[in-house]
Amino acid sequence: MKEKNALARPDQGLQRPGFSSGFGVLAATLGSAVGLGNIWKFPYLTGANGGAGFLLVYLLATLLVGLPVMMAEISLGREAKANPISALQALAPKGQPWWLVAMAGMLAAFLILSFYSEVVAWVFAYVVKALRGSILSSDPQVTEAAFGALISDPLQSLLWQWAVLVFIGGILLMGVTKGIEALTKKLMPLLFLLLLLLCAVSLSLDKAAEGLAFLFQPDFSKITASVVLTAMGLAFFKLSIGMGTMMTYGSYFRDDQNIPLTTLRVMSADLCVSMLAGIAIFPAVFTFGFAPAAGPALVFITIPAVFSQMPMGQWLMVAFFVLAAVAATGAMLSLMEVPVVILHERFGLSRPKATLLTLSLLLVLGASCALSNSALADFKLFGLTMFDLFDFVSSNIILPAGGIFIALFVGWVWGAGKFRGALTNHGQLANEKLANAVFFLLRYVSPLLILIVMLKGLNLF
Ligand code: TRP
């Protein structure tokens, strides 16, 4: 069979890089998790789905499904020390096609990168807009018009996206990923500080209490099946799980790394950044009269309003968008890593060729997202533009489905003994009880829960 040939193992005998220190592992994994999912997606989805109730469901999904699946993925990756396709082939009994999960993951990587690169494009464009000072305003009409003008201009949308792809491609092709990760490590605390400052200003606004009530007082009537699915999809997206990113990063983990501890730290830090973004944005939404359900525009139209209330607001806003771009870069690099490492190790392409092929595909697929608010606004499938469709299909279908299969694989194929071995570093760490509990979740709870949420949310039963 042709398929078989393509999947012969050109990766055998390849030297693989690894993370050298425990802190490097944490930083890189965190660099993947924290990105526009926190700064852009979390606030806009929370706003569009009714606020606190959505947040609550999101938290439950993170704990019951996100954490177990993340530990499972990292364990599988570290055990196999290979790209996701090879890993699943090596760990599964002969003839069982679990590697298809990694193929779906590769597709998800392309879909996510296509729209993600466009959102990063808006961030790039906003750095320039912030420098010019033209968006520093608390008037919804002004900030909405500025954002509208950007996304409805096909040329700008496309050129900024190309700039993003060339930028990421440059990092990968010049082999400076490690340097960028080191830089990210230094800059992330700055983003954190800036978010804290934004929160302080936001909390002093007139209607801060209303914003906080929206974010923290659940209205259970707003929790529908599709809201639950969206919250679960967001949990997958934010933790970078369900498609092989964490499996790939796990394959670079050291054998003495404490997987549960790393996972918990990444999840907590990721949650903190999201909460800060939420607290920075919603008081401003209510004070200045923005619509909480403004959609993908939300951050871009409200953040300038908060900065307009600060001394040196213009320069701090420049810093904010630069730091957002830095955070997004770590996430994009981790997304790119999946197709690149698969094409390299599994299909025998050199890393530069694998990178160029991935980028070329993204130029084409990405353009359909870049033009979703202009030239291709009327080009819809299932009633969604390509931007919305790629987002929906990846977050709400492929990632959760990937999560089901990863949980089932560990729960029923790989087995309790090996999973416990991975979480305890073969008896070296006292994570035994935790491993048993997480294994129970993976075997019985997570797959069923994800399946029910998907079927209900997609209106299939
Ligand atoms: N988690 C990242 C963010 O919040 C995005 C991301 C990176 C991702 N790698 C991923 C999402 C893998 C899903 C799967 O911005």
Side-chain angles (χ1 to χ4, degrees):
M1 272 192 323
K2 215 167 158 231
E3 192 80 33
K4 267 246 164 69
N5 273 338
L7 291 171
R9 304 207 40 182
D11 55 329
Q12 267 156 357
L14 276 187
Q15 281 278 336
R16 310 188 82 249
F19 294 131
S20 50
S21 70
F23 185 67
V25 173
L26 184 65
T29 314
L30 200 60
S32 165
V34 176
L36 296 178
N38 307 62
I39 300 169
W40 163 74
K41 211 172 206 248
F42 172 81
Y44 107 66
L45 286 180
T46 304
N49 290 287
F54 177 85
L55 176 59
L56 193 70
V57 180
Y58 161 76
L59 285 174
L60 282 175
T62 301
L63 294 176
L64 291 177
V65 175
L67 279 183
V69 171
M70 187 164 169
M71 290 187 206
E73 255 194 62
I74 294 177
S75 301
L76 293 173
R78 189 179 66 177
E79 178 71 19
K81 299 239 177 333
N83 66 82
I85 292 188
S86 303
L88 288 168
Q89 281 182 321
L91 300 176
K94 274 227 152 13
Q96 292 188 10
W98 291 93
W99 55 269
L100 286 172
V101 177
M103 287 300 255
M106 190 150 92
L107 173 66
F110 278 109
L111 296 182
I112 295 174
L113 278 163
S114 296
F115 72 84
Y116 204 90
S117 59
E118 182 55 23
V119 186
V120 185
W122 301 339
V123 173
F124 275 30
Y126 263 61
V127 173
V128 175
K129 280 186 194 286
L131 277 171
R132 288 211 190 111
S134 56
I135 44 170
L136 194 69
S137 164
S138 63
D139 180 351
Q141 287 193 340
V142 173
T143 62
E144 278 163 20
F147 184 72
L150 170 65
I151 64 168
S152 62
D153 179 343
L155 199 61
Q156 276 201 62
S157 305
L158 213 51
L159 288 179
W160 279 114
Q161 186 185 47
W162 289 350
V164 171
L165 292 174
V166 167
F167 171 68
I168 285 294
I171 293 176
L172 283 162
L173 289 172
M174 294 192 307
V176 291
T177 329
K178 286 262 148 28
I180 297 293
E181 272 163 11
L183 188 69
T184 309
K185 226 184 290 181
K186 296 209 182 79
L187 292 179
M188 287 293 238
L190 283 182
L191 176 65
F192 196 81
L193 284 180
L194 196 52
L195 280 171
L196 274 178
L197 185 66
L198 275 170
C199 287
V201 172
S202 215
L203 287 174
S204 71
L205 294 173
D206 284 349
K207 296 199 177 156
E210 247 177 85
L212 291 182
F214 180 80
L215 199 52
F216 295 112
Q217 278 176 13
D219 171 356
F220 293 100
S221 69
K222 295 206 171 124
I223 306 177
T224 62
S226 85
V227 167
V228 175
L229 177 60
T230 307
M232 190 177 75
L234 178 66
F236 276 88
F237 188 90
K238 285 217 310 136
L239 293 175
S240 309
I241 54 176
M243 54 149 275
T245 288
M246 282 301 158
M247 217 185 283
T248 307
Y249 273 36
S251 77
Y252 303 135
F253 269 43
R254 298 183 340 161
D255 288 328
D256 61 359
Q257 186 79 15
N258 189 333
I259 294 177
L261 190 65
T262 308
T263 306
L264 281 172
R265 282 187 177 153
V266 168
M267 185 220 80
S268 318
D270 179 75
L271 188 63
C272 269
V273 177
S274 301
M275 292 317 303
L276 290 181
I279 295 171
I281 285 169
F282 286 104
V285 166
F286 289 92
T287 304
F288 299 117
F290 292 97
L298 188 70
V299 177
F300 294 93
I301 58 179
T302 52
I303 281 291
V306 187
F307 280 112
S308 75
Q309 307 298 304
M310 283 185 200
M312 305 228 302
Q314 184 186 349
W315 301 107
L316 290 170
M317 183 159 61
V318 174
F320 174 82
F321 285 110
V322 169
L323 293 170
V326 171
T329 302
M332 275 197 295
L333 288 172
S334 80
L335 280 159
M336 292 280 292
E337 186 66 13
V338 174
V340 169
V341 78
I342 287 179
L343 290 170
H344 172 49
E345 291 188 355
R346 210 66 198 86
F347 295 95
L349 268 61
S350 67
R351 257 193 96 100
K353 276 203 184 121
T355 307
L356 283 175
L357 181 60
T358 304
L359 283 170
S360 327
L361 281 168
L362 281 176
L363 277 179
V364 180
L365 269 181
S368 71
C369 292
L371 300 177
S372 275
N373 293 297
S374 52
L376 297 178
D378 294 325
F379 180 68
K380 293 185 178 175
L381 281 178
F382 306 105
L384 298 172
T385 62
M386 291 307 108
F387 185 103
D388 293 335
L389 184 73
F390 288 6
D391 186 359
F392 187 89
V393 170
S394 53
S395 284
N396 295 356
I397 299 177
I398 304 182
L399 299 183
I404 294 183
F405 287 111
I406 288 159
L408 288 177
F409 182 75
V410 169
W412 297 89
V413 180
W414 210 41
K418 292 203 176 116
F419 185 63
R420 217 180 299 123
L423 293 203
T424 61
N425 293 350
H426 303 283
Q428 310 247 316
L429 303 169
N431 287 335
E432 196 111 331
K433 285 216 180 84
L434 181 91
N436 289 339
V438 174
F439 185 78
F440 179 83
L441 286 175
L442 286 170
R443 190 170 158 101
Y444 300 108
V445 182
S446 313
L448 211 63
L449 210 59
I450 303 174
L451 186 68
I452 294 173
V453 170
M454 280 182 79
L455 291 177
K456 280 262 179 205
L458 295 171
N459 231 337
L460 296 174
F461 90 25

